[in-house]
Amino acid sequence: MVERPTTDEYAAYYAGYIKLVPEGNIIERLELQANIVPTLLSSLTEEQANYRYAEGKWSVKEVIGHLLDNERIMSSRLLRIARGDQANHPGYDQDVLMQTHPFNAYTLADLSEEYAVTRRSTILMLRRLTPEAWLSRGIVSDNPASARSIAVIMVGHELHHLSVLRDRYSLDLKL
């Protein structure tokens, strides 16, 4: 799966994420990203991982927790659309999810392991999609969505948040 999605395969809201993703094989992009978060987490102390750059902003651990939540939700949408589910897949409120789960109580090792397993699961699922499944279309939050657009959005979403960690949290990240 190398071709980028066309603008009729995703909601305009996601265009910024898609623009962040370099050309190339999306599974390879996911595999490259798979090393960034565990490497980052292994370089931090618990104190650094609980840092918030401003009042009311997420900690580093919470940003990674949000990446986990998003990948699981987006992977579920992608799976269902790739397999022909035409239901309107609902959106989600990231702030509600964050308020009700204690990512700051995770150890860095636990957070890293959960990230690695979640990303591995996504990659394994995507490797087994047929060419037709990549092009399957469905609906997410009353907007068109294709399986391939969701995969690209996942990569772009993570790139966005990793850039925030680099720029606002002053973390040494090679993107």
Side-chain angles (χ1 to χ4, degrees):
M1 203 299 287
V2 179
E3 292 182 30
R4 297 176 73 75
T6 58
T7 56
D8 65 336
E9 294 179 55
Y10 55 88
Y13 170 83
Y14 294 113
Y17 293 143
I18 288 176
K19 286 179 185 175
L20 292 174
V21 180
E23 293 289 334
N25 185 295
I26 201 63
I27 295 173
E28 289 174 4
R29 293 276 168 222
L30 286 159
E31 288 171 337
L32 289 171
Q33 279 185 335
N35 298 317
I36 296 172
V37 170
T39 299
L40 168 66
L41 293 175
S42 71
S43 74
L44 300 176
T45 66
E46 291 290 334
E47 182 179 345
Q48 291 169 321
N50 287 315
Y51 171 75
R52 298 167 192 273
Y53 72 88
E55 180 73 29
K57 296 297 181 180
W58 292 340
S59 70
V60 174
K61 285 182 178 179
E62 289 170 327
V63 171
I64 303 305
H66 168 66
L67 293 177
L68 284 165
D69 286 348
N70 186 74
E71 183 141 342
R72 286 178 169 133
I73 291 165
M74 297 298 268
S75 290
S76 173
R77 290 174 178 170
L78 192 156
L79 172 72
R80 293 175 65 191
I81 289 170
R83 295 202 181 158
D85 186 344
Q86 293 298 303
N88 184 7
H89 307 285
Y92 74 96
D93 186 329
Q94 64 186 19
D95 295 318
V96 169
L97 296 183
M98 197 57 59
Q99 291 170 3
T100 59
H101 194 72
F103 283 111
N104 284 326
Y106 282 42
T107 66
L108 288 167
D110 287 343
L111 196 57
S112 183
E113 178 185 23
E114 190 166 335
Y115 174 87
V117 168
T118 301
R119 177 53 58 97
R120 183 78 181 132
S121 176
T122 299
I123 290 168
L124 289 172
M125 175 186 65
L126 296 181
R127 281 188 185 156
R128 285 154 181 83
L129 291 181
T130 65
E132 298 79 24
W134 280 106
L135 299 175
S136 294
R137 293 180 184 228
I139 301 172
V140 174
S141 299
D142 299 318
N143 292 287
S146 68
R148 71 179 176 182
S149 74
I150 294 172
V152 175
I153 290 164
M154 282 193 292
V155 171
H157 176 263
E158 186 156 317
L159 283 171
H160 164 75
H161 284 288
L162 292 173
S163 295
V164 170
L165 288 172
R166 182 193 62 214
D167 300 340
R168 303 247 176 180
Y169 295 75
S170 300
L171 297 177
D172 185 25
L173 284 167
K174 308 291 188 268
L175 306 178

